[in-house]
Amino acid sequence: MASILYPFMLGQKIKIKQLPKPLKYFVWIMISWNGFAVIGTLFFNGPDYSIPRQIIFGLQALSWTQIGYIISRINEINLKTRRHRFATLYNFLGICAVIATTLVFCITPEKITSISILDSDVFNDHAVFITHSILFFVFVFPYFLTTIYALFRNCMQTSDKDLIQIGLYMLAIFIFFVVLSTFFDFILPFTAYFNPKVSNFQFLQWFQYSCVFVAILSGQYFTSISFKNKNSFWFLNTLIDHIGDCVLYFEKKGNIISANAATHLLFQMNEEEIRSLKIQDFLPGINFSEEGHFNNLKIKIKDELHTFNVSIFHIRQTMTAYLNALVLSDQTHSLFFQQRVKAMNKQIAGYKQEFLRYQNRLNISEKKIKETENVNATLINALPFQFWSKNENGVYLTQNQKDIAIRGNLSKNTDDPKTISEYETNAREDGNGNTHISYENSNHESITEDQANLDIKNGKQVFIYQNHFIPIISAIPPYKIIGLKIDITEERRLERERNLLREQKSIHSRLEELGTICGTFAHDYNNILGSQIGFCELASEILNKLNNETDLQKIQNFSAKASSFVIEATKAAKRGKESLNTLLDTVRGTAAKKMESISFAPYLVIEDVIKKLVLTLPSNIQISSEHMDKSVRINAQVHSLDRIISNLASNAIYSMKETGGTLTFKIEKETLLQQIVSPYAPPIPPDTYVKISIADTGTGMDSGTLERIFSPFFTTKSPGEGLGLGLSSALRLLKEGNAYFTVQTTVGSGTIFNLYWKLYKEKNDQSEEA
């Protein structure tokens, strides 16, 4: 009951929250220990190993496991020693050991009761007592021994008689309680009185009593000395700061700890300067280790001798701590009053300086305010649009010169309610800024937008304004308003002209596109007509031979050749029709229907192009198409590839017209592991491609020509021989087909065009690769 009532006993003197944390924890641990002991005695007493009894006993063990650790912490506070982490770790291990032992007793107590020592089943009869006694001596008793050692060492290391007396007193009491409790809780039970079958036996009962006494003594120490002295010490220090005598606190060796306000004023030193000195610096030759009083001592301050009465006191702060004080009483009081007058004069001079500084700041602030007002007025008047502001009642506060020049000076006036727009009213009442466009005639009278458009059409002067109403948000509506009226007449005029120019540019752009397409169409159509004429002439020659032939086999062969030539002429005619439809769609301004891409073998298109080229091929030029992979396929538009190959082949034949040579076609599959970058073509990303090569042994091209070969209407042919649209058309078709190309040329050696189409894979091939 004493441990449970103990907090209420402390509450009569001091709030328990003000106690040191270790002592506060000590009190609550004692309450929990005694509480669990009472519960165990009333409800779970007996020698059995029931789970509730073992849990209550384990909770008690957790409490007394903490007692030794907390006592060592209290000892550290009293002796002002450093805290060791090992103690905390050791305490944690003790908690874990208690929890583990309790779990074993609750689950399988036979594992402990079956332990035998020297063929003795001591654990079978006294398992709980012996097990927890081992835990106590392992995890609690070492703290008691270290506390005894610390108290003993502190007594041996100090030379202060009072500290030695207090230390021995504390050591004797602590040893007495430890020995007494050990005797009654452990020695007697083992020797005479211990009987596990006795129901009223309480484990560590004397240690409980001893810890209660230790807690009471510790609480009395902190409440009666430490905390009561705090209030009196505060009152004493406050009183000392207001007296005229000098008071200095110092250590045993003479080092000054602090001083009151009169000391600072008398010696003209701050706290840091005084603490850097010793008492011997003020009064050499006086013994400060004992209390005493000295009259009429001469002390030199600022080269002046003054007479003081000196008193030395030893003040007990706690049971183990002393504070020394030195009191200097100025007998003449002349120095004190002189220093006070000097201090007051300095304060007055400081006040004057502060006053002058504040006055200067005030003048600077007023100057800055005026400068700011002038700058604001200048900026407002320099605005290229009308600016005005109204207060919450609609009265004009400011206007810039531009607004005054147009509407006159309206300062301190209000507008006619009938002329105020709904936009301004909404901004004033709702606090939402808004913008609208207004129109005025040459007399600055408001007109409608339709009337403004009619006047502009008739050449009359019209002003167009963009009006902004900005509310200045305050606590409650209506709000102050800032108005901006920006003249956008010139901007609207320029906008109309810009729209007209944009329309004209669009027309010119379409005409330019139409011209380019017409040129491309003429270029392609010329090639198409040449093919048609060539195939028709060949068909006509064969038909003439057919009329004079009587052999049936030859007649059939001639008929088949004539039919193939007619078919080729028909294909050329269809390509011409497609080109013509593209031209007509452009003229009509409608988008041409994009033809779908199909998968095919590109060698078929190249063979078809070779058939057309052979008809007009000069005799000094040969065509080679031996290295063509017929197994690869691409996904593209047939007519686009036909036009690309035809244009490149025509240019190659033209470059070999005078010198002769060989036109070589090659098709192969190529896998690019790295990106190909060339100066005159887009980069080619890594992938698997079908590479189509068109090579000639003609004149080649220099760098200047190579940079321009894809520009529309650029050609190196003589006038009348070409339009310069073949390669530009080929480049456009390559981009539409998502294909790539590279150009390799050497002047005098020839040119190679490499076309890269992505390799088309059948769905089955793709699934197998996946």
Side-chain angles (χ1 to χ4, degrees), residues 77-334:
I77 294 177
N78 288 336
L79 302 181
K80 295 181 175 58
T81 57
R82 184 172 59 88
R83 182 180 177 183
H84 295 282
R85 293 184 179 179
F86 177 76
T88 304
L89 177 61
Y90 198 68
N91 178 57
F92 176 74
L93 294 176
I95 294 173
C96 295
V98 169
I99 294 174
T101 304
T102 303
L103 291 176
V104 173
F105 272 114
C106 291
I107 299 173
T108 58
E110 63 274 4
K111 288 187 177 181
I112 296 179
T113 57
S114 62
I115 298 174
S116 63
I117 300 175
L118 299 177
D119 297 330
S120 174
D121 296 332
V122 65
F123 278 92
N124 186 31
D125 297 331
H126 317 295
V128 176
F129 178 82
I130 294 176
T131 304
H132 287 82
S133 297
I134 293 173
L135 293 176
F136 184 85
F137 278 98
V138 172
F139 294 105
V140 179
F141 211 77
Y143 289 113
F144 294 158
L145 296 179
T146 56
T147 301
I148 293 172
Y149 170 73
L151 290 171
F152 179 76
R153 184 183 62 179
N154 187 63
C155 293
M156 294 297 100
Q157 290 179 349
T158 181
S159 59
D160 193 322
K161 295 180 180 180
D162 295 326
L163 291 179
I164 294 174
Q165 183 180 358
I166 295 172
L168 292 175
Y169 170 75
M170 295 172 63
L171 179 61
I173 291 177
F174 192 75
I175 292 175
F176 171 77
F177 280 123
V178 170
V179 172
L180 180 68
S181 302
T182 304
F183 178 79
F184 283 103
D185 281 338
F186 292 103
I187 296 175
L188 277 182
F190 267 109
T191 56
Y193 299 104
F194 179 72
N195 186 358
K197 295 183 180 180
V198 177
S199 61
N200 60 357
F201 175 76
Q202 295 296 322
F203 183 59
L204 297 181
Q205 186 173 19
W206 283 88
F207 268 103
Q208 282 183 282
Y209 299 154
S210 299
C211 290
V212 170
F213 287 122
V214 171
I216 293 173
L217 290 176
S218 300
Q220 281 295 111
Y221 168 75
F222 282 103
T223 54
S224 64
I225 297 178
S226 294
F227 292 99
K228 284 186 178 180
N229 284 351
K230 283 186 178 179
N231 294 331
S232 59
F233 189 70
W234 171 83
F235 176 75
L236 181 62
N237 282 341
T238 304
L239 182 63
I240 289 174
D241 277 337
H242 287 79
I243 65 176
D245 293 338
C246 301
V247 180
L248 294 92
Y249 297 105
F250 61 95
E251 296 177 345
K252 184 182 296 184
K253 296 181 180 180
N255 297 321
I256 297 177
I257 299 174
S258 63
N260 66 343
T263 305
H264 295 300
L265 181 63
L266 180 65
F267 292 97
Q268 293 295 298
M269 294 182 182
N270 56 29
E271 184 74 19
E272 185 177 351
E273 291 173 341
I274 289 180
R275 293 181 64 178
S276 64
L277 301 176
K278 292 187 175 183
I279 294 297
Q280 292 86 337
D281 298 332
F282 296 101
L283 298 171
I286 295 181
N287 184 13
F288 299 98
S289 61
E290 297 180 357
E291 293 185 343
H293 182 76
F294 308 91
N295 295 322
N296 300 322
L297 290 181
K298 302 293 183 178
I299 299 178
K300 192 174 185 181
I301 301 176
K302 301 292 184 180
D303 297 330
E304 295 181 4
L305 286 176
H306 295 269
T307 303
F308 290 92
N309 289 339
V310 179
S311 299
I312 299 174
F313 302 96
H314 296 321
I315 305 171
R316 182 189 294 271
Q317 287 187 303
T318 66
M319 292 178 66
T320 61
Y322 287 92
L323 185 66
N324 302 309
L326 175 69
V327 180
L328 301 177
S329 300
D330 186 3
Q331 295 303 301
T332 60
H333 294 287
S334 59

Side-chain angles (χ1 to χ4, degrees), residues 758-769:
K758 286 187 178 181
L759 178 66
Y760 176 78
K761 298 179 182 180
E762 298 290 344
K763 292 184 178 179
N764 293 335
D765 298 339
Q766 295 175 357
S767 62
E768 288 177 2
E769 291 181 1

Side-chain angles (χ1 to χ4, degrees), residues 556-593:
Q556 290 178 352
N557 293 336
F558 287 150
S559 297
K561 287 184 178 181
S563 297
S564 65
F565 291 144
V566 172
I567 291 173
E568 294 297 332
T570 304
K571 289 181 181 179
K574 289 181 178 179
R575 288 195 297 272
K577 184 178 180 181
E578 291 174 358
S579 298
L580 181 59
N581 288 335
T582 302
L583 177 61
L584 292 175
D585 288 335
T586 304
V587 173
R588 298 188 188 105
T590 59
K593 184 178 180 181

